[in-house]
Amino acid sequence: MIVAIDGPSGTGKSSTSKAVAAKLGLSYLDTGAQYRAITWWMITNGVDVDDADVVASAAGKPTIVSGTDPSHPTITVDGVDASGPIRTQEVTSKVSAVSAVPEVRTRITELQRSIAASAEHGIVVEGRDIGTTVLPDADLKIFLTASPEARAARRSGELKGADVHATREALIKRDAADSSRKTSPLAKADDAVEVDTTQLTLQQVIECVVTLVEEKRAAA
């Protein structure tokens, strides 16, 4: 059972995906963390992330390993735990530019497909292009949405003390970058189930997705 959950930042993707995977005994993969990891590696190693050619030539260098236990997802880069460093503001501000480079997407997409293929009991994979590009044959595709205001409020809640207005502007800017990039843009797959989380609690979103997965399993 492969479940693809896509959508922009602040829709509850990560929290929902982890909880659903844990509840149903599935593996879990945060694909955004992999793009953050390669971005962090580039920054740390002095690669000019604004130079697409330089980023492209360095894309194959780091070794990125993702742990898929939903209760304790891990990510290492060249053997170093990167789960903390990849969440910094510097990485957040540069990840769109790095992830727009086709060579980076090809490298990370191959990694994601191999992880999904080796998940014995099935997997929940969350990202922005899973249902459209990475795993177009996923058993179930879900696209989470929410109003920019709701997403900004959630995000600034996560980023303690953040300015909601500034967060909202940053989210809209990131959406535009991710939706308009030439390679694997953020998009809803034609056969995806759209779930608007604006008015829902996290628990309601989790229950909704669990129900969709169980219905799919029963029909299989």
Side-chain angles (χ1 to χ4, degrees):
M1 184 81 188
I2 293 179
V3 182
I5 299 185
D6 289 307
S9 302
T11 53
K13 272 200 319 276
S14 294
S15 305
T16 300
S17 301
K18 272 187 278 200
V20 169
K23 206 163 186 176
L24 298 174
L26 303 172
S27 296
Y28 159 76
L29 178 61
D30 174 0
T31 63
Q34 296 175 318
Y35 285 105
R36 286 176 170 274
I38 200 165
T39 302
W40 174 69
W41 182 89
M42 300 261 176
I43 294 167
T44 308
N45 286 276
V47 175
D48 180 359
V49 297
D50 295 317
D51 186 329
D53 292 334
V54 177
V55 169
S57 61
K61 293 179 180 175
T63 300
I64 298 167
V65 178
S66 296
T68 58
D69 176 353
S71 60
H72 184 62
T74 57
I75 187 154
T76 63
V77 182
D78 294 340
V80 177
D81 175 13
S83 51
I86 64 171
R87 302 293 169 187
T88 62
Q89 191 53 49
E90 185 179 22
V91 171
T92 300
S93 67
K94 293 176 175 172
V95 68
S96 281
V98 173
S99 57
V101 176
E103 289 80 359
V104 169
R105 296 208 79 81
T106 299
R107 162 87 202 285
I108 301 293
T109 296
E110 285 170 359
L111 181 60
Q112 291 161 2
R113 285 176 179 158
S114 68
I115 291 169
S118 62
E120 286 178 37
H121 303 291
I123 191 167
V124 177
V125 184
E126 60 135 315
R128 283 169 161 72
D129 65 339
I130 311 307
T132 51
T133 303
V134 181
L135 300 166
D137 297 327
D139 299 292
L140 175 64
K141 300 173 189 177
I142 293 167
F143 193 85
L144 298 184
T145 64
S147 71
E149 290 71 24
R151 292 165 50 212
R154 288 170 191 165
R155 261 295 141 100
S156 51
E158 289 168 19
L159 311 166
K160 299 290 180 275
D163 176 339
V164 176
H165 179 71
T167 304
R168 179 178 179 275
E169 295 307 306
L171 284 175
I172 290 170
K173 190 176 170 187
R174 173 114 192 250
D175 288 351
D178 289 347
S179 303
S180 61
R181 64 170 175 246
K182 290 189 178 70
T183 310
S184 305
L186 162 67
K188 179 190 164 200
D190 292 338
D191 54 348
V193 179
E194 185 169 318
V195 179
D196 187 334
T197 70
T198 305
Q199 303 293 336
L200 302 177
T201 64
L202 176 59
Q203 201 50 47
Q204 287 172 322
V205 180
I206 293 165
E207 284 166 13
C208 173
V209 174
V210 165
T211 301
L212 288 169
V213 176
E214 287 175 337
E215 284 172 357
K216 198 76 183 177
R217 272 180 169 171

